[in-house]
Amino acid sequence: MKNSTGTLRRGKESAVLQRLAAIRKDKFLYLMALPGILFFLVFHYGPMYGLIVAFKDYNIYQGIFSSEWVGLANFQELFESSGFKRALLNTVIIGFYQLLFVFPAPIILSILINEVVHTRFKKFVQTVVYLPHFVSWIVIGGILYAILSPTTGIVQEVADWFGLGDSVINLMGSTEYFRSILIASSIWKEAGFGTILYLATIVTIDPSLYEAAKVDGASKRRQIWHITLPGLRTTIVILLIFHVGNFLNVGLEQVYALYNPAVYEVGEILDTYLYKLAFESAKYDLATASGLFKSLVGLTLVLFTNYAAKKIDRDSGFI
């Protein structure tokens, strides 16, 4: 018995020493990761004690811990609110549109860019499609209003020139077209920047596979379907898991820059509703409850998507 206990202790000590040796060997890599780890600890994990506000009748003068504990009353009030229900429905609809149209856009664009033969033109295209990512949504909102305004916009002026001024629709104030504008502007702004990971993955695909496919008489479409897309599979699945995890985060900055009272019915999302609760109505407890609800839904979606990906393909997923 003593021998087995001593052997177990020596085995644990050996494992610890091996781990310390591995850390010393890669110490510079750990130092490089340290700023990122500290960032998440300070700005993501540190403030998590504030989640207790979601379960209290928060009074700013009493503080977090002295405010009255109300349990799930804030969540009940939130789910009974018509404003929250409308914001949740709009968020789900816009999130579904983003999953259907915005997520595949970088994949399609990266494949198209990869097929460009001329090197200089290829670099030019990459630069052009990357640039919108670095433009603020506030600036883009101003540009869209300048183009689509029914009074002074470029579209209105062109329509007046052709004698069609009365037929111009106020797209920025239309509940019918506002969501389409959100999705189209998201694709224009982020699709190019999203191609970086896909293009980097395409580069790692063995060129001999394409050469063999050409010898076998495979068309370009067949090469993309049977070589390029399978080579992108793991990257697509991982990014899909991240995207589904952010399903309810459809873009506070974008919506806040583009929407107006005329489209609140279809444009109000959870992020803008939460913002108004916290900074316009000072209902910090309800805002925290809404944020916690979003986080729990995101966590559930990530775990479910990862589980489904693992069931379909064991090499997919990351948990």
Side-chain angles (χ1 to χ4, degrees), residues 7-317:
T7 302
L8 182 60
R9 184 182 297 112
R10 285 193 297 270
K12 290 182 178 179
E13 291 176 353
S14 176
V16 171
L17 291 175
Q18 289 178 1
R19 184 165 296 182
L20 290 175
I23 292 176
R24 283 196 298 269
K25 180 181 177 181
D26 299 325
K27 56 182 178 294
F28 292 111
L29 294 178
Y30 285 101
L31 286 175
M32 289 176 62
L34 185 60
I37 295 173
L38 291 175
F39 172 82
F40 279 96
L41 289 176
V42 173
F43 295 102
H44 289 265
Y45 289 95
M48 287 185 71
Y49 76 93
L51 292 176
I52 196 175
V53 173
F55 305 95
K56 292 201 168 193
D57 182 12
Y58 179 68
N59 187 311
I60 193 172
Y61 300 105
Q62 293 178 343
I64 294 177
F65 298 103
S66 298
S67 297
E68 180 185 357
W69 181 272
V70 295
L72 299 176
N74 289 325
F75 292 93
Q76 182 179 357
E77 181 180 349
L78 199 63
F79 295 145
E80 291 176 352
S81 169
S82 59
F84 177 81
K85 293 177 182 178
R86 182 183 66 178
L88 178 60
L89 177 61
N90 291 335
T91 302
V92 170
I93 293 174
I94 295 173
F96 177 76
Y97 286 160
Q98 287 187 345
L99 186 63
L100 192 62
F101 298 107
V102 179
F103 178 76
I107 303 172
I108 298 172
L109 185 58
S110 61
I111 293 174
L112 293 176
I113 292 175
N114 184 64
E115 296 301 323
V116 176
V117 179
H118 197 283
T119 305
R120 289 187 177 180
F121 181 69
K122 184 176 183 178
K123 292 181 178 179
F124 171 76
V125 171
Q126 286 180 277
T127 303
V128 170
V129 297
Y130 289 168
L131 287 178
H133 171 78
F134 302 99
V135 180
S136 168
W137 275 115
I138 302 301
V139 175
I140 293 176
I143 294 174
L144 288 176
Y145 273 105
I147 295 174
L148 303 177
S149 173
T151 54
T152 59
I154 296 175
V155 173
Q156 180 68 44
E157 292 183 3
V158 172
D160 289 339
W161 192 73
F162 283 101
L164 303 173
D166 296 335
S167 62
V168 175
I169 301 173
N170 181 12
L171 296 177
M172 300 301 291
S174 170
T175 56
E176 183 178 357
Y177 296 102
F178 181 73
R179 290 171 181 162
S180 300
I181 292 174
L182 287 179
I183 300 304
S185 58
S186 291
I187 294 175
W188 175 76
K189 186 176 187 297
E190 300 297 342
F193 192 77
T195 61
I196 293 177
L197 283 177
Y198 295 113
L199 288 172
T201 305
I202 290 175
V203 171
T204 64
I205 299 176
D206 189 354
S208 63
L209 296 175
Y210 293 100
E211 295 173 2
K214 290 179 182 178
V215 172
D216 291 339
S219 63
K220 184 63 66 176
R221 182 174 60 86
R222 288 288 184 180
Q223 293 176 36
I224 293 173
W225 183 257
H226 293 288
I227 299 175
T228 306
L229 286 177
L232 290 171
R233 181 181 58 191
T234 302
T235 304
I236 291 174
V237 170
I238 292 176
L239 293 181
L240 176 62
I241 293 172
F242 290 152
H243 187 92
V244 171
N246 288 311
F247 186 79
L248 296 183
N249 295 324
V250 294
L252 169 63
E253 185 181 357
Q254 178 192 12
V255 176
Y256 206 78
L258 298 182
Y259 85 155
N260 53 76
V263 293
Y264 280 171
E265 181 182 349
V266 297
E268 186 80 278
I269 59 174
L270 285 178
D271 287 330
T272 56
Y273 182 74
L274 187 154
Y275 179 87
K276 290 177 180 178
L277 281 176
F279 299 105
E280 293 183 8
S281 303
K283 296 180 179 179
Y284 302 107
D285 42 13
L286 293 179
T288 305
S290 176
L292 181 57
F293 169 76
K294 277 184 53 186
S295 300
L296 291 176
V297 171
L299 175 62
T300 304
L301 290 174
V302 165
L303 294 177
F304 174 77
T305 308
N306 184 75
Y307 175 79
K310 283 287 187 180
K311 284 294 183 181
I312 297 173
D313 184 359
R314 290 184 179 182
D315 295 331
S316 300

